[in-house]
Amino acid sequence: MPSHDHSPSHPLATALALSLGAAVALGLSRFSYGLLLPPMRADLGWSYLLAGTMNTFNALGYFLGALATPALMRRLGVWRLLIIGSVLASIFMLMSGLVSDTTTLFLQRVCAGVASAFMFIAGGVLAARLGSMHSQHAGFYIGLYYGGTGFGIALSALLVPAALTSAQEHGAAHAWQWPWLALGIACLLATAIMALPAKAIGEAPRALATPRPFAWRDFLPSLAGYFMFGVGYIGYMTFVIALLKQQGMSATLITVFYTVLGLAVVASSRIWARMLDRYKGGESLAILNGVLGAVTILPALTSFAPVVFLSGLVFGAVFLSVVASTTALVRHNLPQQSWTAGISAYTTAFALGQIVGPIVVGWIADGPAGLERGLIASAMALFIGAALASRQKALAPAA
């Protein structure tokens, strides 16, 4: 059955609109929680282990969503699944602003994770398709999609403190609920802006031949490296704000720190585009994991603000490009009809790592060594991920 093969008339604007999918799926739906963890923990009396488990449940939902996505994509189509996921994620974010029971919040985080996986994978497939229409800019467009997470992070950095302050001024019983409501509304607006431009990319053509299955063993080193990336990066994103508050950084500086981190994520699409186009094996994944490990350890070693800001700036400029590197790896080494299976496999490895990471780091943070030791453990996971990914060889181009 033929599908549109024409390119959208404004590919850069289309890529920017599509990047709002990543902004909702990760920037607003998941990473905003790092800002909300301290007030929720204080209000609800959580340990760091329990607070970390909240993000583990989100990652568990993401894992379940990743498993279901290929079948749903075949049934519903890529664009429709993107929009359904985005609307559901928005609704679950709004629900967090209406409850305070810990069990209900856990359930909400699972559901938000499922919805995030639907839209994040669907958006990744559309970004890869847009890249295939403009091969000279493929790395940039794929990176821009994942870099859109930074728009969500930066928006969270501005929305959460403002909504929290407003709730406190109005004497709200649970001030942290207002930021969830504000974030949910932002997700709905982003969905509305993204919908039509994303549809213009079109569905991938349906192959007449049986799609080539994804051979896990061919990609084992990079899948293992990506799993360790999931373990390591999520510890930083879950607990770094709590560590900065603990170290005495002012609320204003924390807002600036998280905004800078988010804007660096957006810039990362340009910084690493040539590398993603150049390397066909696991080289990009290895390099980026190594850089990430080096900067993750910095806030654990010092609270000196310029060093902490350097950590956030470089972390933001790297971590979503690790995700983009796996999409580029799939695009370089598999035929187009296998991209969905490939991206889903990497997303599954990523989700499993994120399930492990917050529990381990939270458990370590509750011990006598505190949050600093937790971040060191995150950095070690990233260094291991770099070593594993470096063993991934490029495959012969698929016929």
Side-chain angles (χ1 to χ4, degrees), residues 29 33 69 71 107 216 226 230 233 267 328 346 358:
S29 182
Y33 177 65
T69 292
L107 183 61
W216 285 72
Y226 200 41
Y233 101 93
Y346 278 98

Side-chain angles (χ1 to χ4, degrees), residues 147 150 153 236-237 258 260-269 271-272 292 295 309-321:
I153 292 172
Y236 186 97
M237 289 301 291
Y258 216 55
V260 165
L261 190 156
L263 295 177
V265 173
V266 179
S268 68
S269 57
I271 297 168
W272 305 105
L292 218 49
V295 298
F309 268 76
L310 176 67
S311 168
L313 181 68
V314 178
F315 191 97
V318 172
F319 88 101
L320 257 295
S321 289

Side-chain angles (χ1 to χ4, degrees), residues 23 26-41 93 96-97 109 151-169 172 174-187 237 241-242 245 251-252 254-256 258-259:
L26 293 186
L28 292 166
S29 182
R30 175 175 300 158
F31 298 138
S32 59
Y33 177 65
L35 293 162
L36 286 157
L37 185 152
M40 290 179 76
R41 182 172 173 264
M93 293 289 281
S96 291
R109 294 308 282 159
F151 292 129
I153 292 172
L155 186 57
S156 297
L158 302 172
L159 271 181
V160 170
L164 204 54
T165 301
S166 182
Q168 287 162 347
E169 287 171 354
H174 303 288
W176 50 266
Q177 290 180 328
W178 286 34
W180 283 115
L181 294 170
L183 292 164
I185 292 165
C187 288
M237 289 301 291
I241 299 299
K245 283 182 79 76
T252 304
I254 287 174
T255 297
V256 175
Y258 216 55
T259 306

Side-chain angles (χ1 to χ4, degrees), residues 21 24-25 69 72-73 75-92 111-112 114-120 122-123 126 187-188 191-192 194-195 198:
V24 172
T69 292
L72 286 170
M73 217 176 268
R75 180 177 289 271
L76 299 171
V78 181
W79 177 81
R80 197 172 282 119
L81 188 61
L82 173 76
I83 300 305
I84 288 170
S86 195
V87 170
L88 287 175
S90 306
I91 291 168
F92 293 130
C111 293
V114 172
S116 293
F118 292 164
M119 62 185 306
F120 197 61
L126 288 173
C187 288
L188 285 172
T191 305
M194 167 181 68

Side-chain angles (χ1 to χ4, degrees), residues 198-280:
K199 193 172 189 179
I201 297 170
E203 298 288 329
R206 296 183 185 276
L208 296 176
T210 305
R212 173 178 152 176
F214 180 78
W216 285 72
R217 65 182 175 278
D218 292 341
F219 294 90
L220 214 50
S222 54
L223 284 165
Y226 200 41
F227 168 81
M228 294 308 295
F229 163 69
V231 172
Y233 101 93
I234 194 65
Y236 186 97
M237 289 301 291
T238 302
F239 291 109
V240 70
I241 299 299
L243 176 61
L244 299 185
K245 283 182 79 76
Q246 185 180 290
Q247 290 175 342
M249 184 177 278
S250 71
T252 304
L253 269 185
I254 287 174
T255 297
V256 175
F257 169 86
Y258 216 55
T259 306
V260 165
L261 190 156
L263 295 177
V265 173
V266 179
S268 68
S269 57
R270 174 58 79 185
I271 297 168
W272 305 105
R274 285 173 66 88
M275 186 175 81
L276 298 190
D277 285 335
R278 178 182 172 192
Y279 289 123
K280 307 291 192 278

Side-chain angles (χ1 to χ4, degrees), residues 45-57:
W46 292 347
S47 65
Y48 281 121
L49 175 59
L50 183 59
T53 304
M54 191 64 73
N55 247 5
T56 286
F57 271 70

